Amino acid sequence: MPPEVPYYRSFAAPPVKFSDPSSPEAYTILPIGRKYIRGKKTMKIPGRRVIPLLVFILSTISILRLLRLANNSSSAPPLPAFPPTLQHTCNSASPECTNIPSHVPGSQTTKFTTPANSTTLMKKEFKLLSDLIRSKAPCNLLIFGLEPQYLKLSSINSEGITVLLEDNPDRISATRAKSNNTRIYQVDYHLPAKKAFKLLKHARKSPACAPSSGRLQNSTCKLALTNLPQEVYKQKWDVVVVDGPSGHSPEAPGRMSTIYTASIIARAGNTTDVVVHDVDRTIEKWFSWEFLCDENLISSKGKLWNFRVTGKSNSTRFCTD
């Protein structure tokens, strides 16, 4: 039997005694800082040194995890950049932000923005547009903008009339019409995109901008395009495509006038499909809702909206709601 070892009882941590019936030896464990006795061997447990060591280890692990997270964040691909701002912040104190359409998501305090200059149609967008032309061909097709894809539309509408309006002379010089019924005109746009808010406010208050205000070429509405080729005013158009001007920066011409003019042209005919591209941009979205109306939206693909507008030249309002 091992010799007895005297010990005293502590109020902070009473000793715990373990016994193994199969072992010839019994042992006791005393509180940390005392002696651990097993048979004739003794060993001190440095209790006060263990806690700082554990704290150091845990701190090191936490720091390493933070460094790993920071490294992963820096190596991840960047989020898509926000489009360039029109240098106009919409807030509750700005008079130009009143009466903004409630169905435009995030319109109450967001910045008026337009994205990068990219107007090429995606495959599904071009299919929607080409299917529309096939269903109406031969027809009268008016296009604001000049993309190589639109020359394919003129080929589909080879028996009809296709007119393309473009403000970039370099694009016009590099393009050749594939049909005698396809004509390309150079036009000028004078309203920069940064004035969109003021123009929308003007159109809502001015009787000269109403659908029943009279002939488009004689209009005094600031949004009306009165300098277009005479063929545009004389013809009844079955399809109008709005994909110009570029509107890619605050100083560049925006599509406020082309969307408004397309809505007036559509109401002067019987039934006209107006197709607007880049509706992910603020100007295109707001002015489409304002002048082409949610009630007339019949289909969409990607960034392309198709409105079907019936002739209502004597109406004083664009939308019933």
Side-chain angles (χ1 to χ4, degrees), residues 191-235:
L191 297 176
K194 65 181 181 181
K195 292 187 176 181
F197 280 110
K198 292 182 179 179
L199 290 168
L200 186 59
K201 183 179 179 181
H202 159 75
R204 286 173 172 173
K205 292 183 177 180
S206 175
C209 297
S212 58
S213 58
R215 300 174 64 187
L216 180 62
Q217 58 268 46
N218 298 329
S219 176
T220 58
C221 177
K222 293 180 181 180
L223 285 171
L225 292 174
T226 58
N227 59 342
L228 300 178
Q230 288 301 311
E231 181 180 6
V232 175
Y233 304 117
K234 293 178 180 179
Q235 196 66 255

